[in-house]
Amino acid sequence: MHRLESVSADNTDRKIVIAQMIRLIHSISRKFGNEMTRIMKGRVSASQFIMLRFLKQCGPAKVSQISRKMQLTPSAITFMTKDLLERDLIERQRDTKDRRVVYISITQEGLEVVEEIEASIRQSTEILLSNLTNLDLSNIVYILEKLDTSLAMA
C-alpha cells in the first residue's frame, strides 16, 4: 500500500500526521535553504537575491515598497542597498516630478546575477529531485497548491 493511502486509511491520530508534516516541512526547508545558500555564496546574500528578484519582476520601486514586500524595515533595505549599489547591481533614480522620491532599479549586471543564480537553482533542484517521477512531482505540486490555498484562507 502506498504511504499516502495508508495514512489516509488509518486516520486515527491526526496529531501525529500533522507533527510529521511539520517536521518534514522544516527538514525540506532547511535542506533547500542550505542548497540556496551554497548556490549564492560569494555572489549575494539571500535577502539581496530576494530584493534583486523583486526588482527584476516588478521594475523600479521605492524603498518603502521593497520593505513592505520583504517585510523588513526601510532602514534594513537602505543598509542592504549600499552593498548592491557599490557592486553596480542596482541603481538609484530620483523621481522627475518629486526629487524627494528615490526609486531603486536593477542594473544589467544585477539582472545577469539573478539569471545566473536562478539557472543554478533550477539545475540544482532538478538534480535534488531526480529520483522522483513526473507523477510524484505532479502529486507534490497538487498537495502544495492545496496547502497554499488553505493557508491563504486562514
Side-chain angles (χ1 to χ4, degrees), residues 74-91:
S75 60
I77 299 299
T78 299
F79 179 78
M80 196 185 319
T81 61
K82 288 181 183 178
D83 180 50
L84 295 173
L85 282 163
E86 288 172 6
R87 294 171 57 202
D88 293 322
L89 300 179
I90 61 169
E91 60 188 8

Side-chain angles (χ1 to χ4, degrees), residues 103-117:
Y103 287 94
I104 307 294
S105 61
I106 191 167
T107 63
Q108 183 60 39
E109 195 169 334
L111 281 172
E112 290 169 10
V113 167
V114 170
E115 288 167 4
E116 287 170 10
I117 291 171

